Amino acid sequence: MDTAQLVAMIPRLRRYARMLIGNAALADDLVQDTLERAYARRAQWRAGTDLRAWCFTIMHNLFVNQAQRVARRGERPIDDMDPSTTDTVLGASDPTEGWGQALDLQDALLALSQDHRRVLLLVTVEQLSYEEVAEVLAVPVGTVMSRLARARARLRALMSEGDPVGRQTRLRALK
C-alpha cells in the first residue's frame, strides 16, 4: 500500500464516520485516528486484499474502543448526542433547500442502535458486500443480514413518523 491509496480512502472514511457519529469534529478525529493507525500498520495489510474493508475494520475497532472508554468513564457515548446539535451530513448551496428530509434522515439514523446503523451505512452508503461487512464487524454474514433488515424496517418506521415541529425549529436555526 502506498500513501496515495490511503489518501484516496479519506472521502469514504469521512462519509462513513460522519454518518456513524453525526458530529463532524468527532468524525474527523475518528478518520484521523484511522489513517494514523492504518499508516503505522501498513506492513500488516496484505497486497491483493480489499484496502477499503481493512480501513473500515480499523475504523470500526477504534470506534468501539472509544465508545467503551467513554462508557467506562460514565460520559455520554459519542453517538448518543442530541441530534439538534449535530452537524448535517448533506450539503447544499441553500442551507434550507431539501434539508427537512435530510435532517429527518439524520435524526432517524442517529436513533438507530450502533449495530444497526453500522451495518446499514456499510451496505447502503459504502456499498460493501455482506461478506465484507461481516469481516469489518467480525460477525457472521447471517447477523449482517438480520441487522440490515431490522435497520431498514426501523428507519422506514422512523421516517414515516416524521418530526415537522422539530424540523422547522432546526431549519430556522440554519437561516
Side-chain angles (χ1 to χ4, degrees), residues 9 20 26 30 40 46 70 112 119 124 144 146 160 163:
M9 291 296 303
L20 179 67
L26 293 173
L30 180 59
R46 292 183 305 266
V70 168
L112 295 175
V119 169
T124 61
V144 169
S146 65
S160 67
D163 180 19

Side-chain angles (χ1 to χ4, degrees), residues 74-86:
E75 299 170 5
R76 212 165 71 179
I78 59 176
D79 74 325
D80 187 27
M81 299 176 186
D82 178 3
S84 65
T85 64
T86 59

Side-chain angles (χ1 to χ4, degrees), residues 2 16 20 31-32 44 51 54 56 61 64 69 73 85 87 92 94 103 113-114 116-117 119 125 137 153 169:
D2 62 17
Y16 176 63
L20 179 67
V31 170
Q32 181 175 342
Q44 294 176 359
L51 178 62
W54 187 70
F56 282 123
N61 292 337
V64 168
R69 192 173 327 121
R73 292 182 188 151
T85 64
D87 301 307
D94 177 4
L103 290 170
S113 71
Q114 286 183 17
H116 290 157
R117 187 174 343 128
V119 169
V125 176
L137 301 179
T169 302

Side-chain angles (χ1 to χ4, degrees), residues 9-19 27-28 31 59:
M9 291 296 303
I10 293 173
R12 296 188 98 167
L13 293 170
R14 286 190 81 219
R15 179 176 56 224
Y16 176 63
R18 291 186 90 177
M19 294 181 83
D28 286 344
V31 170
M59 180 176 281

Side-chain angles (χ1 to χ4, degrees), residues 9 27 34 37 43 57 91 107 118 123 134 140 154 166 173 175:
M9 291 296 303
T34 300
R37 172 128 346 141
T57 300
D107 288 349
R118 288 180 199 143
V123 170
R154 181 73 178 128
K175 290 182 180 181

Side-chain angles (χ1 to χ4, degrees), residues 57-143:
T57 300
I58 292 171
M59 180 176 281
H60 167 75
N61 292 337
L62 285 170
F63 178 77
V64 168
N65 291 342
Q66 289 172 1
Q68 288 172 344
R69 192 173 327 121
V70 168
R72 277 193 304 272
R73 292 182 188 151
E75 299 170 5
R76 212 165 71 179
I78 59 176
D79 74 325
D80 187 27
M81 299 176 186
D82 178 3
S84 65
T85 64
T86 59
D87 301 307
T88 55
V89 179
L90 304 174
S93 57
D94 177 4
T96 60
E97 184 181 322
W99 278 44
Q101 277 190 315
L103 290 170
D104 287 348
L105 177 60
Q106 182 181 20
D107 288 349
L109 283 169
L110 292 173
L112 295 175
S113 71
Q114 286 183 17
D115 291 337
H116 290 157
R117 187 174 343 128
R118 288 180 199 143
V119 169
L120 182 70
L121 294 174
L122 288 171
V123 170
T124 61
V125 176
E126 298 306 327
Q127 300 179 342
L128 269 63
S129 70
Y130 293 170
E131 291 79 14
E132 290 171 324
V133 174
E135 180 183 331
V136 168
L137 301 179
V139 297
V141 173
T143 302

